[in-house]
Amino acid sequence: MQIVVAGQGYVGLPLAVRAAEVGHRVVGYDVDPNLVQQLAAGRSHVRDVDSSRLHAVLDAGAYSAAADAAALAGFELAVITVPTPLRDGVPDLTYIESCARTLGGHLRPGATVVLESTSYPGTTEELLLPILEEVSGLTGGVDFLAGFSPERIGNKRWSFDGTPKLVSGIDAESLDAIKGFYDGIFQTTVRVSGPKVAELAKLLENTFRFVNISMINEMAMLAASLGVNIWEAIDAAATKPFGFTPFTPGPGVGGHCLPVDPMFLSWKAQQELGVPFRFAELAADVNRNMPDYVVRRLVEALDKRGVPVSGARILLLGLTYKYNATDLRNSPSARVAELLTALGADVRGAEPNIPDGDDTKLNVHRVDATPDELAAADAVVLLMDHPRFDLAMIEKCATYVLDCRNRLSGINVETL
């Protein structure tokens, strides 16, 4: 089929390349002309897509990148993978709205539109569908098909195509068409009864993680005050073969999903029902304050060693929002660096996963985690335990380490 994947970021590019690899003719549409130029040259900006794969589908003529909406003409199926950020706690769906208007101008009878962008229940049927109908003059479920299929980016254990894919449609024919498309890309697809169920399922997945991470973060703070090793307690609890899922504490929650998605449901509940989603709001408060807790712990440790934080040389290791990522969005490291800088510390950051030339994204003076840099720091904070860090060297060279990931040991190491 002639496929359009609108939005060529962390969600859209892996889908577009995979669709091209299985035989579709894919247009990767994005409003950022610089990104489109980069993709057209075969340079991937997404870790899940090697540039070699992008080159292969470009050379085969199966994939093209475009910033001109004219390239959307004639599509048979379009997938929307645009951002859905929060603005002051309110979902910003302007990217979906704009994309829907653009696609609606090229929508033909028999075509299918699928939303993958995360949002509150009702977005597909109450926002996307009316815009498509208004712009195209066609009727959903009669002239064209539509549905929702939440993105699920794979992790180090589950591949992109090996992660089961939820699919839904506004009617039975839409569901069949959407499932048929994704059946050719994913190993397993799972039908649900309608878009609202699929939309809520996505929010449920991420809220589950968000709430449990906040619980273990708060428990870590309590355990430290009680003089108990939270990491040992987690390992002990994990020996129970049922009724427990281990989560680990950290310096905070970042990225484009966990700090955002639960708040969609919270906003929807407040707007339509007039009731708060208390678990999500409490979890957000705990996770939002974890960088402050990390700084408090660090200041206390420096005080014990007779080193004032003002003027202290602090080395932050790992600035991305999660393990081995290349993504700095909403990373708690930015808040840690901001707080330490405000206290007068000389803050430096080592982030091997961010390519040279991208220093402007780091908001701290960039250095490499060399023996000299480690030894010169009054304190080292391991925020993210990337595999490119030499943990043994950190233990050997650093005079004091606050380990937020429980990866180090020694008399100079203190865990979160």
Side-chain angles (χ1 to χ4, degrees), residues 64-379:
S64 61
D68 185 350
L72 308 182
F75 76 81
E76 296 172 75
L77 185 143
V79 184
I80 299 173
T81 62
V82 297
T84 49
L86 283 175
R87 309 286 187 197
D88 298 321
V90 178
D92 180 359
L93 304 185
T94 54
Y95 295 102
I96 293 179
E97 294 170 2
S98 177
C99 188
R101 293 190 180 281
T102 301
L103 290 173
H106 298 278
L107 188 59
R108 302 184 305 171
T112 303
V113 178
V114 187
L115 179 63
E116 283 205 6
S117 304
T118 304
S119 187
Y120 54 77
T123 301
T124 303
E125 294 162 296
E126 298 165 11
L127 177 70
L128 175 65
L129 198 59
I131 294 175
L132 292 173
E133 291 178 334
E134 175 194 345
V135 175
S136 68
L138 304 176
T139 301
V142 177
D143 303 309
F144 69 91
L145 310 176
F148 180 78
S149 179
E151 58 88 1
R152 282 174 168 172
I153 298 298
N155 62 14
K156 58 185 178 182
R157 178 182 176 187
W158 292 87
S159 64
F160 173 79
D161 59 319
T163 304
K165 181 70 166 166
L166 297 182
V167 293
S168 70
I170 60 171
D171 57 19
E173 187 179 358
S174 295
L175 176 57
D176 287 342
I178 292 168
K179 185 177 187 301
F181 167 67
Y182 285 117
D183 278 344
I185 294 177
F186 293 87
Q187 297 172 25
T188 304
T189 57
V190 180
R191 295 173 180 257
V192 298
S193 61
K196 287 184 179 180
V197 174
E199 290 160 340
L200 183 59
K202 173 62 178 178
L203 298 183
L204 177 58
E205 294 168 16
N206 284 347
T207 302
F208 172 81
R209 292 172 57 205
F210 189 65
V211 167
N212 278 280
I213 289 170
S214 73
M215 182 273 293
I216 204 66
N217 277 338
E218 186 165 36
M219 190 167 285
M221 291 186 275
L222 293 173
S225 298
L226 294 170
V228 180
N229 187 317
I230 184 64
W231 302 91
E232 184 179 358
I234 292 169
D235 290 341
T239 62
K240 184 179 180 181
F242 57 90
F244 180 79
T245 300
F247 286 82
T248 56
V253 172
H256 53 93
C257 290
L258 290 194
V260 175
D261 295 354
M263 298 301 102
F264 276 91
L265 192 55
S266 179
W267 178 86
K268 184 72 169 178
Q270 191 65 55
Q271 289 295 307
E272 289 205 354
L273 306 176
V275 297
F277 185 15
R278 291 177 294 172
F279 267 108
E281 292 169 8
L282 178 59
D285 182 64
V286 171
N287 289 326
R288 189 165 46 241
N289 284 287
M290 280 307 292
D292 301 65
Y293 174 70
V294 170
V295 171
R296 288 199 303 273
R297 287 283 302 275
L298 183 60
V299 171
E300 290 171 3
L302 288 170
D303 285 343
K304 289 178 182 177
R305 297 173 54 238
V307 179
V309 66
S310 179
R313 185 162 165 171
I314 311 296
L315 177 59
L316 306 180
L317 300 180
L319 304 178
T320 59
Y321 82 90
K322 71 175 181 179
Y323 174 83
N324 208 27
T326 58
D327 194 344
L328 293 162
R329 284 179 292 177
N330 298 315
S331 177
S333 66
R335 176 64 177 166
V336 172
E338 176 188 357
L339 291 169
L340 288 171
T341 300
L343 291 171
D346 174 12
V347 184
R348 301 166 182 231
E351 180 45 77
N353 286 2
I354 301 297
D356 290 338
D358 286 350
D359 296 19
T360 55
K361 298 179 180 179
L362 301 179
N363 299 318
V364 296
H365 176 62
R366 183 171 185 177
V367 297
D368 294 324
T370 62
D372 288 344
E373 196 69 45
L374 289 162
D378 292 301

